[in-house]
Amino acid sequence: MNATEPRRRWWPRSVRAGAALAAASTAAVILVGIGWWVHHDVYRQSTQIAEEQAQVQLGSLCEQLRQGVIPVSTSAVPYEVVATGRRTAVASGGALSLATPAPTT
């Protein structure tokens, strides 16, 4: 910058431009805050729904095991029933293969 060149200001000189910049900055801060709040609220609600569904499915599975019924393997719920002293699973849900990544060669 040369001594004869005027120094640039980051804030506009006119009142109208200054008011527009202040309004735009305020709107940006408000919109970012609302976006952050909506994102976290949707995440919290979806997590709560997933937990409730998992509890219902787990309750159903536990009730079947209490009655001595081996759950069917075509279930859409990913689960695995392992008995003490066995090397393999007693039963597993049909969706368990979808929940684990495929082996790479």
Side-chain angles (χ1 to χ4, degrees):
M1 184 153 77
N2 195 342
T4 59
E5 291 179 15
R7 186 172 177 196
R8 290 188 176 190
R9 298 171 56 182
W10 66 273
W11 191 259
R13 291 182 185 212
S14 71
V15 174
R16 187 181 299 164
L21 181 62
S25 300
T26 303
V29 168
I30 289 171
L31 289 175
V32 166
I34 290 172
W36 176 83
W37 177 75
V38 167
H39 170 74
H40 284 284
D41 193 48
V42 167
Y43 178 78
R44 182 189 54 79
Q45 287 180 357
S46 64
T47 302
Q48 183 180 5
I49 290 170
E51 287 176 357
E52 289 171 359
Q53 288 176 348
Q55 287 177 351
V56 168
Q57 293 169 353
L58 178 63
S60 172
L61 181 62
C62 288
E63 186 59 33
Q64 289 177 2
L65 292 174
R66 271 192 223 108
Q67 294 173 359
V69 177
I70 295 178
V72 293
S73 63
T74 58
S75 171
V77 181
Y79 67 88
E80 186 173 65
V81 179
V82 179
T84 306
R86 294 185 63 131
R87 293 181 186 256
T88 60
V90 175
S92 63
L96 192 60
S97 61
L98 301 174
T100 57
T104 58
T105 56

